[in-house]
Amino acid sequence: MWSPKKLQLPSFLSSFSSTLVFLIVIPLVLVLVLACTLGPQSSYVLSFSSSSWTWRSVGLLRSLTSYEEKDQHLQVVGLVTFNNSAKVSFSNRPLREGVEDIWKDEMNEGEEHSDETTGIVKRYNRLERHEAILAKARSSIREAARNGSMISNHQDPDYVPQGPIYRNTNAFHRSYLEMEKKFKIYVYEEGELPIFHNGPCRSIYSTEGRFIYEMEKGNMYRTKDPEEALVYFLPFSVVVMVRYLYVSGGPDSRHVIGRTVADYIHVISSRHSFWNTSLGADHFMLSCHDWGPHTTSYVPHLFNNSIRVLCNANTTEGFNPQKDVSLPEINLKTDDTIGIIGGPSPSRRSTLAFFAGGLHGAIRTNLMQQWKGKDQDVLVYEELPPGKSYEIMLKNSKFCLCPSGYEVASPRVVEAIYAECVPVLISDGYVPPFSDVLNWNAFSVMVAVEDIPNIKKILMSISQTQYLRMQKRVKQVQRHFVMNGPPKRFDLFHMIVHSIWLRRLNIRV
């Protein structure tokens, strides 16, 4: 009867196995024990095996100022809206030690680092170099934020930010200068006209088209080398998709638009490595159409991870101020803003408050019911009377009412700023544009929907001195909302880019 015998290994294998125990098994056991002792890192909340890199919130600008504003919708701290509890990890693997070395040493662009103890020159990959660049920018901005003065101490030949319209003038200016030096955007070349690389430059969606147009020109921030880009632009237009793909009353027309976006992401993720590296966290899209947020929901990583630049910046519909950007809605009827910017002095403005617009949504319906034709100081119209000019009415008013329509955004906010009329924002869940940098309380009035019946009382309680200060600040902030062709420093185009820059600074990939 057969019986097993003890397996005898050749002497060289026996010696080799002992070596393996000392070189591999024992160190592995020690690592596991250490890991169990330290416990899991707190930043790892969700993990996805499809990426080997970590994406997480930095919260860079949380400590930039002591200014805090809290309401039922969001918390704004410093230069960026930041939710302190939001930390997402796409991997069980921590950031590479090499990246941490670069952050600590602040290497020159992070290309290489010589270890003083060993003399070994370390080289870093694309992501590590980029994170070194961003780390140095964060450090510079944090340092600038410690100066709490109301005027920037940085030199600038064009404009030096100052005054209470900014949350932190010095931090904003430093951040802006860092952006001009370091920010690079790659525009994916995939996609054909008219749906891609194109958008409306007139109409209520002009902000979307103008931004796409400037990026396509490539005169500022754009790089043709995707390896040096810090963010990647997805150049599709929801407005144009609606124009060409949507059939009124047709089945699944809105789904066709969403699937088109999903197909586009599939194409660029198949051809390039950048989307898959970060699962979209360093990518951005831009849309001024009401359907923009819904369209992004067809790609979960686009909705949850990517920087979404949206006019429909509604926190109740998934807009996340920590990573998304509120885009101003501007209704341009011509190619420029000549004749629509500016207005008479405050002493020549005879109307307390003014609004004219259709019954789009419950907020406007409420406004009409309370004020239409009922008060000579608060002029509210569904349609202007014959012979009345909308632009002249704006410029003759001290306060311009800006109620949300079907969606939260309204072109009346920027129209009021252009006319140097103090905007009165009436909305639920709306995040005003550039509110990570601008202190809207300094130059606008926020009225809760339930306070619509008290509008006159609220506005009359603002003293003449306070109104004059606010009106002066509206004129000062105006430069940040003007569409110039070509763009000028600190104007609308640059402010949009700066908001994207801040969101990229606020994460590590």
Side-chain angles (χ1 to χ4, degrees):
M1 185 175 181
W2 177 84
S3 62
K5 295 182 179 179
K6 185 177 179 180
L7 179 62
Q8 298 292 327
L9 291 175
S11 60
F12 78 92
L13 283 181
S14 178
S15 174
F16 181 65
S17 63
S18 300
T19 304
L20 284 179
V21 169
F22 282 100
L23 293 181
I24 298 178
V25 177
I26 292 178
L28 181 60
V29 171
L30 291 175
V31 170
L32 291 174
V33 170
L34 182 61
C36 293
T37 303
L38 294 176
Q41 294 190 31
S42 60
S43 63
Y44 298 156
V45 179
L46 301 175
S47 67
F48 299 84
S49 60
S50 56
S51 173
S52 61
W53 285 93
T54 297
W55 176 104
R56 65 181 180 181
S57 296
V58 173
L60 142 87
L61 308 170
R62 177 176 170 78
S63 59
L64 293 188
T65 74
S66 60
Y67 178 91
E68 291 194 13
E69 173 186 305
K70 296 182 180 179
D71 61 25
Q72 59 182 328
H73 304 304
L74 70 155
Q75 176 175 317
V76 179
V77 183
L79 281 182
V80 70
T81 43
F82 175 68
N83 179 351
N84 190 37
S85 65
K87 295 181 180 179
V88 182
S89 170
F90 295 147
S91 172
N92 290 325
R93 173 180 173 185
L95 290 165
R96 293 184 177 180
E97 292 180 2
V99 180
E100 296 292 352
D101 289 339
I102 302 174
W103 290 335
K104 292 175 183 176
D105 298 325
E106 293 189 348
M107 297 309 303
N108 182 23
E109 300 306 308
E111 291 184 0
E112 62 180 35
H113 169 49
S114 178
D115 192 313
E116 295 181 0
T117 59
T118 64
I120 298 175
V121 176
K122 300 178 183 178
R123 288 194 171 273
Y124 301 103
N125 64 27
R126 177 183 64 85
L127 276 177
E128 291 169 338
R129 292 196 305 271
H130 289 176
E131 291 305 325
I133 293 171
L134 294 170
K136 289 164 61 176
R138 293 185 195 110
S139 177
S140 176
I141 297 168
R142 283 195 183 101
E143 182 64 28
R146 296 190 179 100
N147 180 341
S149 69
M150 298 295 287
I151 182 170
S152 169
N153 62 4
H154 304 296
Q155 299 297 316
D156 199 301
D158 296 324
Y159 176 69
V160 176
Q162 59 182 302
I165 68 169
Y166 301 105
R167 297 190 179 280
N168 186 311
T169 55
N170 212 45
F172 164 56
H173 199 191
R174 180 73 265 164
S175 176
Y176 188 93
L177 296 174
E178 291 287 332
M179 172 192 73
E180 288 185 315
K181 289 190 299 182
K182 298 176 179 177
F183 204 30
K184 297 293 184 183
I185 302 172
Y186 180 75
V187 181
Y188 284 109
E189 298 180 357
E190 284 78 6
E192 297 181 359
L193 293 169
I195 291 176
F196 300 90
H197 309 284
N198 175 51
C201 291
R202 299 180 188 178
S203 82
I204 200 171
Y205 307 116
S206 58
T207 318
E208 175 180 319
R210 291 294 183 93
F211 186 88
I212 295 174
Y213 172 73
E214 293 298 338
M215 289 308 305
E216 289 296 323
K217 280 171 50 178
N219 294 333
M220 291 166 292
Y221 304 108
R222 182 174 180 178
T223 175
K224 291 289 188 179
D225 181 4
E227 294 290 333
E228 70 174 11
L230 291 174
V231 295
Y232 302 84
F233 180 39
L234 306 164
F236 59 81
S237 170
V238 175
V239 175
V240 180
M241 286 184 186
V242 172
R243 182 183 304 166
Y244 285 93
L245 302 179
Y246 178 73
V247 178
S248 180
D252 296 331
S253 290
R254 292 181 66 173
H255 297 304
V256 170
I257 298 170
R259 287 196 295 267
T260 301
V261 172
D263 288 344
Y264 185 71
I265 300 297
H266 176 72
V267 168
I268 63 106
S269 64
S270 299
R271 295 182 180 179
H272 307 278
S273 64
F274 310 108
W275 174 274
N276 295 323
T277 298
S278 68
L279 297 182
D282 54 0
H283 287 59
F284 76 96
M285 54 77 66
L286 180 139
S287 176
C288 214
H289 198 278
D290 291 351
W291 294 356
H294 173 74
T295 300
T296 63
S297 68
Y298 283 79
V299 185
H301 288 319
L302 179 62
F303 188 95
N304 295 314
N305 302 346
S306 299
I307 302 166
R308 301 181 305 154
V309 185
L310 303 169
C311 284
N312 189 11
N314 190 346
T315 57
T316 66
E317 296 181 3
F319 183 88
N320 179 2
Q322 177 190 338
K323 72 171 191 65
D324 297 330
V325 173
S326 179
L327 182 65
E329 188 171 291
I330 303 176
N331 187 7
L332 283 185
K333 299 176 183 177
T334 63
D335 291 334
D336 54 51
T337 55
I338 296 176
I340 63 175
I341 295 181
S345 64
S347 61
R348 295 170 56 195
R349 294 173 181 262
S350 56
T351 302
L352 176 66
F354 164 71
F355 169 78
L359 287 175
H360 300 161
I363 293 178
R364 292 193 189 180
T365 301
N366 188 354
L367 182 67
M368 293 290 175
Q369 291 173 349
Q370 295 290 336
W371 293 103
K372 181 181 177 182
K374 296 182 179 180
D375 196 297
Q376 291 302 306
D377 293 324
V378 182
L379 301 180
V380 174
Y381 302 96
E382 187 174 351
E383 291 185 7
L384 279 177
K388 294 283 186 179
S389 165
Y390 180 75
E391 287 76 18
I392 292 176
M393 292 291 289
L394 287 173
K395 294 182 179 184
N396 286 340
S397 302
K398 293 181 178 180
F399 297 93
C400 291
L401 306 182
C402 308
S404 295
Y406 289 127
E407 301 295 346
V408 292
S410 169
R412 285 161 181 78
V413 177
V414 177
E415 288 173 349
I417 293 173
Y418 281 1
E420 297 170 3
C421 175
V422 177
V424 180
L425 278 61
I426 311 171
S427 64
D428 275 332
Y430 182 49
V431 179
F434 316 137
S435 53
D436 39 32
V437 167
L438 301 179
N439 175 17
W440 280 79
N441 288 330
F443 59 89
S444 69
V445 179
M446 309 287 183
V447 174
V449 174
E450 57 266 26
D451 283 331
I452 287 177
N454 302 318
I455 284 177
K456 184 174 181 179
K457 181 179 179 181
I458 292 170
L459 298 182
M460 291 293 289
S461 69
I462 298 173
S463 68
Q464 179 69 4
T465 301
Q466 184 180 359
Y467 163 71
L468 291 175
R469 283 198 297 261
M470 296 178 74
Q471 201 268 346
K472 183 179 179 180
R473 293 166 187 167
V474 169
K475 294 174 67 174
Q476 182 187 355
V477 83
Q478 194 178 75
R479 70 165 58 238
H480 298 314
F481 292 88
V482 175
M483 284 185 180
N484 293 305
K488 299 178 181 178
R489 297 181 71 226
F490 296 98
D491 70 358
L492 180 73
F493 174 78
H494 290 277
M495 290 297 287
I496 296 170
V497 174
H498 182 259
S499 290
I500 298 167
W501 157 254
L502 284 181
R503 270 67 187 176
R504 181 61 182 90
L505 279 172
N506 205 37
I507 63 170
R508 284 178 185 158
V509 180

